[in-house]
């Protein structure tokens, strides 16, 4: 069985840990969001790709959900001694090594997809990890003050430094319209038996991947099951509600499912708290199932992944 997953960072990485156990014999391809990528101190940092790679490869800081375990911060302290900026993005010493090597390989002319493959040789994540595109795409956030003045910041500055407290007037994936899917991406979608959306951010993770020309149409042609990242009106972990507000979508499982719509997803898993979504006319044409969706631990996450696979298989059979 070939399963392809569109992935952001922490939410996706946890889900994928469960999916590997729920479908141990499946060939899993992960198409990772690169809209969060940023150049810091001359180094290319790919937070979502690294979160997936470290999590599945056993190198993640499990409490945090991102960054390396057993991390130290000597380089950061030295940068601080120079008053080097930005000072709001945490990079540990072990993590720096990843970004140094990535930047070296990119500078030598290798595309991000090839570089990611090199990094994964060490981590052996047990899935094929592909960036959505080898072309640079950066999510930017437009902020507007009371006087209507607009400023634009990189998504990471809004999310990490500003904690998404200033409302976003607009969120744009700069470069996406000109980007080309990375080698293997469209084949991994077209050749998949099932496509899954983990409980990733619908705007800046899944939404950004879908903004790369060709990907949305390829996904729409398949049997797709998504897992709601919203439970009982809350984004569970993080501030996804601030991103949904920027695109005018309510923070609810039903609204996110309706935002994807029956043209894109066939099945939608919601938490038991949100089971009323099954009768929501906005979700007509989408098979909705309710089950506990809090990814508390690996067994709970495996059960969620198994439910996603089972529903996708059931819907794929129905369509055949
Ligand atoms: P990021 O790139 O690190 O923000 O990670 P993702 O985009 O992959 O996923 C982040 C989203 O996962 C958050 O916005 C939450 O809505 C969702 N999420 C986090 N933990 C859980 C959980 O335990 N259950 C569910 N259903 N969603 C979760
Ligand atoms: Ca992310």
């Amino acid at each position: 069985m070939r399963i392809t997953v569109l992935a952001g960072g922490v939410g996706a990485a946890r889900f994928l840990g469960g999916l590997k156990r729920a479908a141990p014999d499946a060939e899993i391809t992960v198409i990772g969001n690169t809209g969060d990528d940023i150049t810091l101190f001359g180094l290319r940092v790919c937070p979502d790709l690294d979160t997936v790679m470290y999590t599945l490869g056993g190198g993640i800081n499990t409490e945090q959900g991102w960054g390396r375990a057993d991390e130290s911060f000597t380089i950061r302290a030295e940068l601080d001694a120079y008053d080097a900026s930005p000072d709001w993005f945490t990079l540990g010493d072990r993590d720096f090594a990843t970004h140094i090597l990535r930047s070296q390989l990119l500078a030598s002319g290798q595309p991000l997809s090839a570089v990611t493959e090199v990094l994964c040789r060490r981590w052996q994540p047990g899935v094929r990890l592909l960036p959505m595109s080898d072309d640079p795409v950066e999510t930017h956030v437009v902020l507007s003050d009371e006087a209507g003045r607009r400023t634009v910041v990189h998504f990471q500055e809004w999310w990490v430094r500003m904690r998404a407290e200033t409302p976003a007037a607009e969120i744009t994936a700069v470069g996406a319209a000109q980007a080309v899917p990375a080698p293997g991406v469209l084949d991994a979608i077209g050749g998949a038996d099932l496509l899954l959306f983990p409980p990733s951010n619908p705007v800046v993770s899944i939404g950004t991947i879908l903004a790369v020309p060709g990907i949305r149409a390829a996904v729409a042609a398949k049997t797709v099951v998504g897992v709601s990242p919203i439970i009982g009106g809350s984004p569970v972990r993080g501030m996804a509600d601030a991103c949904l507000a920027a695109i005018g979508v309510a923070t609810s499982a039903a609204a996110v499912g309706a935002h994807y719509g029956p043209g894109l997803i066939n099945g939608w898993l919601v938490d038991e708290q949100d089971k009323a979504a099954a009768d929501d006319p906005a979700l007509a044409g989408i098979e909705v199932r309710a089950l506990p969706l809090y990814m508390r631990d690996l067994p709970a996450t495996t059960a969620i992944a198994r439910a996603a696979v089972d529903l996708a298989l059931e819907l794929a059979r129905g369509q055949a």
Side-chain angles (χ1 to χ4, degrees), residues 7-10 33 35-36 47-48 51 155-156 159 201 204-205:
V10 177
N33 170 44
D36 291 13
D48 284 355
T51 295
F155 170 72
Q156 296 293 355
W159 194 250
N201 190 307
V204 295
S205 294

Side-chain angles (χ1 to χ4, degrees), residues 91-116:
L91 290 173
D93 299 330
R94 292 179 189 275
D95 203 16
F96 258 114
T98 304
H99 312 315
I100 290 169
L101 179 58
R102 173 187 292 121
S103 304
Q104 182 202 24
L105 296 172
L106 288 171
S108 78
Q110 296 196 50
L112 182 62
S113 50
V115 174
T116 304

Side-chain angles (χ1 to χ4, degrees), residues 186 189 210 212-222 263-264:
L186 293 180
I189 297 171
L210 293 171
V212 176
I215 293 188
R216 176 182 284 272
V219 169
K222 307 298 292 190
L264 191 63

Side-chain angles (χ1 to χ4, degrees), residues 8-12 48 199-201 205 228-229 231 235-237 240 293-295:
V10 177
D48 284 355
S200 280
N201 190 307
S205 294
S228 174
I231 298 179
V236 197
R237 302 177 171 95
L293 285 192
Y294 186 62
M295 298 188 288

Side-chain angles (χ1 to χ4, degrees), residues 226-253:
V227 180
S228 174
I230 305 299
I231 298 179
S234 151
V236 197
R237 302 177 171 95
M239 305 145 311
D241 46 333
C243 300
L244 288 167
I247 62 163
V249 173
T251 303
S252 76

